[in-house]
């Protein structure tokens, strides 16, 4: 492997950002941040505790209750969001280097993250300016109209896969709506989140609107979820963590939006465009190192083409280039953290008893052994996986795929729906009626027909079953971060029964 690239001016100390200032934890607590290529610490980050979350929420609450941001006209807020988008694009090269260094994501896949993050801010800037609310009139009787008001302080908890871009998914609509926020980024990957403070400051976002608290889920995250002055929690992450957050939010009847785990099926029928299905299903599970919530990690293939599909798929998987994330030729980089690597490798070993190993199955042979040489896993393909196998049922979140045959449409649907998850599904067929009917019946929040992960920001994003609660995207995001207050005005005479009136009592007696 070539010499490991380290970005220039790499910070060695990451602080919280509260009320417009970088600060350490009140009690001085820190945690180490690892570089996935060497698994060695490169920085210490302030580790948020309850006191730090309290300070961040207080700053956000002050900015919401007394600051200008929630009271600005939509166009004024939009202009700030446009400047944020421009600043993000200007950081593209720096961001890609930091994101790759911190996550192990291949540099070619990190390069598009800044543009996607910027587009989120532009999209919601446009949306709040174009937005209109309902008004209803009964001539001569009444008029009703709706006031849309930001709810307050939003708690945003984000994952470690493509962290900067996924942070923008939550930051853009919450800030656009007029909320103030406290962001708790994932502890494995806090580096790129540290860029937001300067970007927001330069764009003119008032102090206190954006606050950042680094830390562990069980301390900083838990304190944020339980804080009485945080009425909204938006969380992306693993399903069991989502269940814990759900329980903790119940005490305060908080609003929740949660995009959770997935074990998404890709269903390939015999009449599919074979080459396109191969390309898409390979990319769908091995891009982003397999560390993606919508990965098509179960491939269901009709028996007529099953043997051919498995052979071609395995050969392509064996040719995927695994190596240093900063090498432009790399297609699969290092997994984010040794803890996650151990989890994925546990499933790889389990899979050897649950399926027929066609490719991968361990660390790539061309890379030096040892944890100090990075958390690398060769793209791993198991065939003939039974539907009750753990590698069929459980989210692995790595470059591991299970392939299972089916004969009929009914069997394919039963297999597709046969897990607790329901985030995404991918259907490959040239039969238009089958495609639309299958999409209707499959238990998934999102379905892609003959494509993968091409998304319009206006459309809902979210899952069903154990894959999520609620949807974001377009106006659904604005709805989550705002209250809709109905105002009623009478235009005519008011005819109200006069309870307790002597006149009404006399009429009744008569």
């Amino acid at each position: 492997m070539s010499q490991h690239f380290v970005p220039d001016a790499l910070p060695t100390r990451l602080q919280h950002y509260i009320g417009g200032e970088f600060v350490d934890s009140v009690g001085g607590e820190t945690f180490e941040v690892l570089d996935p290529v060497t698994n060695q610490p490169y920085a210490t980050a302030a580790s948020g505790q309850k006191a730090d979350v309290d300070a961040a929420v207080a700053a956000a609450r002050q900015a919401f209750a007394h600051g200008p941001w929630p009271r600005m006209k939509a166009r004024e807020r939009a202009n700030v969001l446009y400047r944020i988008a421009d600043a993000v694009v200007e950081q593209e090269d720096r961001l890609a280097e930091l994101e790759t260094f911190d996550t192990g994501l291949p540099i070619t896949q990190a390069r598009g993250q800044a543009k996607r993050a910027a587009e989120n801010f532009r999209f919601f800037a446009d949306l709040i300016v174009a937005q209109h609310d309902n008004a209803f009139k009964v001539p001569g009787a009444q008029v009703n109209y709706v006031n849309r008001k930001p709810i307050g302080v939003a708690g945003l908890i984000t994952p470690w896969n493509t962290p900067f871009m996924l942070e923008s998914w939550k930051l853009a609509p919450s800030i656009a709506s007029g909320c103030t926020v406290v962001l708790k980024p994932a502890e494995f990957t806090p580096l790129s989140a540290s860029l937001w403070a300067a970007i927001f400051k330069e764009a003119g976002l008032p102090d206190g609107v954006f606050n950042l608290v680094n830390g562990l889920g069980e301390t900083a995250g838990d304190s944020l979820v339980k804080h009485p002055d945080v009425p909204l929690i938006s969380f992306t992450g693993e399903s069991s963590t989502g269940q814990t957050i759900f329980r903790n939010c119940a005490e305060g009847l908080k609003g929740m939006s949660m995009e959770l785990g997935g074990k998404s099926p890709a269903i390939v029928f015999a009449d599919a465009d074979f080459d396109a299905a191969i390309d898409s299903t390979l990319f769908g599970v091995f891009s982003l190192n397999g560390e993606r919530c919508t990965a098509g990690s179960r491939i269901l293939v009709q028996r007529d083409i099953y043997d051919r599909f498995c052979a071609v798929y395995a050969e392509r998987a064996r040719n995927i280039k695994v190596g240093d994330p900063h090498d432009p030729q790399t297609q699969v980089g290092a997994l984010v953290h040794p803890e996650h690597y151990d989890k994925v490798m546990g499933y790889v070993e389990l899979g050897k008893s649950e399926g027929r190993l066609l490719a991968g199955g361990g660390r790539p042979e061309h890379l030096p052994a040892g944890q100090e040489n990075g958390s690398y896993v060769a793209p791993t393909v198991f065939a003939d996986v039974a539907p009750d196998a753990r590698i069929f049922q459980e989210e692995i979140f790595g470059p591991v795929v299970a392939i299972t045959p089916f004969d009929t449409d009914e069997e394919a649907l039963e297999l597709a729906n046969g897990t607790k998850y329901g985030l995404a599904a991918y259907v490959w067929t040239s039969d238009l009626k089958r495609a639309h009917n299958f999409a209707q019946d499959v238990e998934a929040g999102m379905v892609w027909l003959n494509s993968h992960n091409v998304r319009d920001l206006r459309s809902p994003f979210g899952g069903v079953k154990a894959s999520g609660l609620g949807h974001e995207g377009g106006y659904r995001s604005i709805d989550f971060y705002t209250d809709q207050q109905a105002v009623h005005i009478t235009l005519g005479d008011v005819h109200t029964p006069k309870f307790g009136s002597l006149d009404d009592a006399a009429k009744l007696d008569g």
Side-chain angles (χ1 to χ4, degrees):
M1 195 188 303
S2 59
Q3 185 175 2
H4 179 38
F5 174 83
V6 177
D8 292 335
L10 186 68
T12 57
R13 182 166 162 257
L14 302 173
Q15 296 175 288
H16 310 306
Y17 185 74
I18 298 175
E21 301 290 338
F22 286 103
V23 295
D24 292 324
S25 292
V26 171
E29 296 89 351
T30 62
F31 64 92
E32 292 184 330
V33 187
L34 305 185
D35 160 16
V37 171
T38 64
N39 284 324
Q40 298 302 307
Y42 73 87
T44 58
S47 185
Q49 311 296 310
K50 184 179 183 299
D52 306 298
V53 171
D54 287 347
V57 174
R61 182 64 199 165
Q62 174 71 17
F64 184 79
H66 304 292
W69 187 250
R71 296 157 190 83
M72 290 168 65
K73 292 182 173 63
R75 173 61 72 185
E76 294 174 321
R77 287 205 303 268
N79 287 336
V80 175
L81 266 65
Y82 294 141
R83 292 195 291 271
I84 291 170
D86 291 341
V88 168
V89 171
E90 289 174 6
Q91 296 255 10
E92 181 175 12
D93 289 341
R94 175 69 170 169
L95 171 62
E97 288 180 356
L98 295 183
E99 199 83 316
T100 292
F101 183 84
D102 202 28
T103 67
L105 184 69
I107 187 70
T108 54
Q109 295 168 42
R111 289 203 183 280
Q113 302 302 312
K115 286 188 174 67
R116 291 184 67 189
E119 181 55 27
N120 283 318
F121 282 92
R122 293 196 180 101
F123 174 82
F124 284 105
D126 292 340
L127 201 63
I128 59 169
V129 171
Q131 174 182 284
H132 63 89
D133 287 308
N134 293 323
F136 308 99
K137 182 177 182 181
V138 180
Q142 63 176 301
V143 171
N144 302 331
Y145 67 88
V146 174
N147 281 329
R148 188 181 289 272
K149 304 191 292 186
I151 291 178
V153 179
L156 313 179
I157 303 175
T158 52
W160 46 257
N161 56 317
T162 60
F164 190 85
M165 194 274 293
L166 289 181
E167 287 154 10
S168 75
W169 278 18
K170 300 182 188 300
L171 288 167
S174 57
I175 290 173
S177 298
C179 289
T180 58
V181 305
V182 177
L183 170 68
K184 205 296 283 185
E187 59 265 31
F188 285 175
T189 56
L191 182 57
S192 61
S194 66
L195 297 175
W196 287 117
I199 289 171
F200 288 147
K201 177 83 85 172
E202 179 186 335
L205 191 72
D207 290 345
V209 175
F210 167 76
N211 302 274
L212 168 72
V213 177
N214 291 302
L216 309 183
E218 54 267 33
T219 51
D222 187 65
S223 297
L224 183 58
V225 167
K226 292 177 178 176
H227 200 290
D229 289 335
V230 178
L232 292 174
I233 295 292
S234 179
F235 169 73
T236 299
E238 194 265 334
S239 295
S240 63
T241 305
Q243 290 175 307
T244 300
I245 290 174
F246 196 124
R247 285 191 291 269
N248 289 333
C249 282
E251 184 69 25
L253 296 176
K254 297 174 184 282
M256 287 176 292
S257 177
M258 297 198 291
E259 190 248 295
L260 306 175
K263 192 69 176 178
S264 300
I267 303 97
V268 183
F269 288 93
D271 64 353
D273 181 329
F274 185 89
D275 292 336
I278 286 284
D279 290 342
S280 181
T281 51
L282 280 159
F283 182 83
V285 73
F286 296 127
S287 59
L288 307 183
N289 300 343
E291 298 166 327
R292 59 186 306 162
C293 54
T294 55
S297 54
R298 293 182 296 138
I299 305 178
L300 313 177
V301 183
Q302 200 156 26
R303 198 166 314 264
D304 307 35
I305 60 169
Y306 181 73
D307 290 342
R308 178 186 173 210
F309 186 95
C310 288
V312 173
Y313 193 94
E315 182 181 7
R316 290 277 296 274
R318 287 191 289 268
N319 289 331
I320 291 173
K321 181 173 174 55
V322 183
D324 191 317
H326 290 278
D327 183 346
Q329 301 302 312
T330 291
Q331 295 169 312
V332 171
L335 298 191
V336 68
H337 191 275
E339 183 180 308
H340 184 58
Y341 172 82
D342 290 341
K343 173 194 169 185
V344 172
M345 285 303 299
Y347 278 109
V348 169
E349 292 306 311
L350 174 65
K352 293 174 183 177
S353 65
E354 291 191 330
R356 178 164 54 98
L357 181 64
L358 300 183
R363 188 179 179 87
E365 294 179 359
H366 69 283
L367 296 177
Q371 198 173 75
E372 72 282 0
N373 292 311
S375 298
Y376 293 100
V377 176
T380 298
V381 181
F382 293 106
D384 308 343
V385 179
D388 61 349
R390 286 182 60 193
I391 62 168
F392 188 96
Q393 291 289 330
E394 298 175 17
E395 184 177 39
I396 299 173
F397 218 68
V400 182
V401 67
I403 307 179
T404 300
F406 69 87
D407 291 297
T408 65
D409 291 31
E410 293 76 17
E411 185 185 2
L413 184 65
E414 184 178 355
L415 289 168
N417 291 342
T419 74
K420 68 178 183 178
Y421 296 107
L423 187 57
Y426 309 86
V427 182
W428 288 87
T429 179
S430 60
D431 184 329
L432 194 58
K433 286 195 296 184
R434 168 195 277 158
H436 289 295
N437 288 330
F438 203 97
Q440 174 72 34
D441 293 335
V442 73
E443 294 168 352
M446 299 169 287
V447 182
W448 279 270
L449 303 179
N450 298 322
S451 66
H452 61 267
N453 281 85
V454 179
R455 181 170 172 249
D456 188 314
L457 292 178
R458 294 170 294 183
S459 61
F461 189 97
V464 298
K465 297 162 57 176
S467 288
L469 177 72
H471 289 79
E472 296 190 30
Y475 282 117
R476 293 163 186 84
S477 293
I478 303 297
D479 286 344
F480 176 68
Y481 292 106
T482 57
D483 276 325
Q484 297 176 61
Q485 177 193 60
V487 180
H488 305 269
I489 308 140
T490 298
L491 299 179
D493 294 334
V494 179
H495 300 287
T496 306
K498 299 181 182 297
F499 280 24
S501 163
L502 293 178
D503 289 343
D504 269 16
K507 288 176 185 177
L508 289 172
D509 289 341

